[in-house]
Amino acid sequence: MTITVLPLDTPGLGDRTYIAHDGEVALVVDPQRDYDRVLGIAEAAGVRITHVFESHIHNDYVTGGLELAREVGAQYLLNADDQVSFERTGVSDGDIVEVGARMRVRVLLTPGHTHTHLSFALEADGESVAVFTGGSLLYGSTGRPDLLGPDHTQTLAHAQWHSAQRLAAELPDETAVYPTHGFGSFCSATQSGGTASTIGQEKLANPALTTDESRYVEDLLAGLDAYPAYYAHMGAANSAGPGEADLSLPTEADPAELRRRIEAGEWVVDLRNRTAFAAGHVGGTVNFGLDGQFVTYLAWLMPWGTPVTLLGETAEDVAEAQRELVRVGIDRPAAMATGTVEDWSGGEPLRAYRTATFADLAAEFTAGRSPLVLDVRRNQERAERHIAGSLHIPIHEVLERLDEVPAGPVWVHCAGGYRAGVVAALLDAHGIDVVAIDDSFDNAGPAGLYLTTDAIKQEIPA
């Protein structure tokens, strides 16, 4: 019987969990907080989970590994050097872990993403099957080395190159590579491509394996951009031993309670898509639609510890949002409301703002109206191409720099519309007149807008 490796995607965070089994027993690598999904896969496959492996103390989510291992009676395996507050099985470089009668896992120390990062090489019947690389070797990229702070970044960047080289040297080319990060996660140094790879394929395309150490480190560090502020809370939560997530729905709030919460400075989050929100919403609410990276941006922008109330058209929408929130340690929403926006407003007038395309923005310039354009993309996106004369405030800095945003109207854009919708809602909640550009930035140039780059700007004489 062959070994089956089943990936479990968490698109909202850009991560993957893996379940590998031989038809009888299974191992799990890097499970998310809501591990009921893992149990469902194991049950469907008719296998028993005996080992749960953690590649590192995660910075982008709260692990479900400890509670999963406790529930099923499995061994919970972490680096023996990780300082944690719970019982676990400590493993070190070179250790061999037997999983059932056929699977054998070799522990490989692969520092770079963290100092104690591990990869797990899986063999079956003496043949190399796969390597679970966590935040080390990703598809066409590597995990970022700066999450532990600037004092560690240089050391970890060099270590990351050596770890990738080690994996390439010690594992056969046909070994399948299964990273945890790299599917949209900010734990990836750059956003990697593809959904499958092997050691041999990475040797041909991964910069950590195709460039020398100094060039790799230089390019890696130059390519780093901002990462979510909530990451600062994840390591401590994972080292302490996260408890089981409570996914029961919060209590329902009526319109009067919603208004009280808004006026108290709490966050009342409308989960509908950005088009519906722009067309009509309760004043003071903010919009993080479930159709994008909802939890990444909500947890990044909301002051940590702020009570949050969820507004969804259905209880299922609220449950989906709640599931995403527990993955980053936001365990209990203060309240919820379901139904229509009219149900939430209690009869008060709805607020609304305009949505537009880049062609609409170009028409404003053609008409001589000189609209104010706010670009909320990250620094590196902006450096590649941006609308000449636009104001740049990355999405994660908007709330700290509200005094730089004029009263409006402000035309807000990003690369595809989601982040612009988030920022437009935030500005609207602060009384700023906004137009949300819901369009691909690829359409900006063809629409007739003048695009420039940082390089071009630097060439213009003073």
Side-chain angles (χ1 to χ4, degrees), residues 28-32 49-58 61-80 82 84-91 97 120 237-242:
V28 178
V29 180
D30 291 344
Q32 294 274 340
I49 298 169
T50 59
H51 295 74
V52 178
F53 292 86
E54 210 78 79
S55 63
H56 59 292
I57 301 296
H58 298 283
Y61 65 86
V62 175
T63 181
L66 177 61
E67 286 300 318
L68 170 62
R70 285 173 173 169
E71 179 161 333
V72 300
Q75 287 191 54
Y76 187 38
L77 302 101
L78 287 78
N79 192 319
D82 284 329
V84 295
S85 303
F86 49 84
E87 292 296 321
R88 89 297 197 197
T89 300
V91 292
V97 180
F120 305 108
N238 287 322
S239 296

Side-chain angles (χ1 to χ4, degrees), residues 18-32:
Y18 297 96
I19 302 96
H21 70 82
D22 62 1
E24 296 181 4
V25 298
L27 64 89
V28 178
V29 180
D30 291 344
Q32 294 274 340

Side-chain angles (χ1 to χ4, degrees), residues 133-152:
T133 56
S136 179
L137 188 69
L138 313 182
Y139 295 154
S141 184
T142 51
R144 63 190 302 158
D146 61 332
L147 297 182
L148 300 185
D151 293 343
H152 301 269

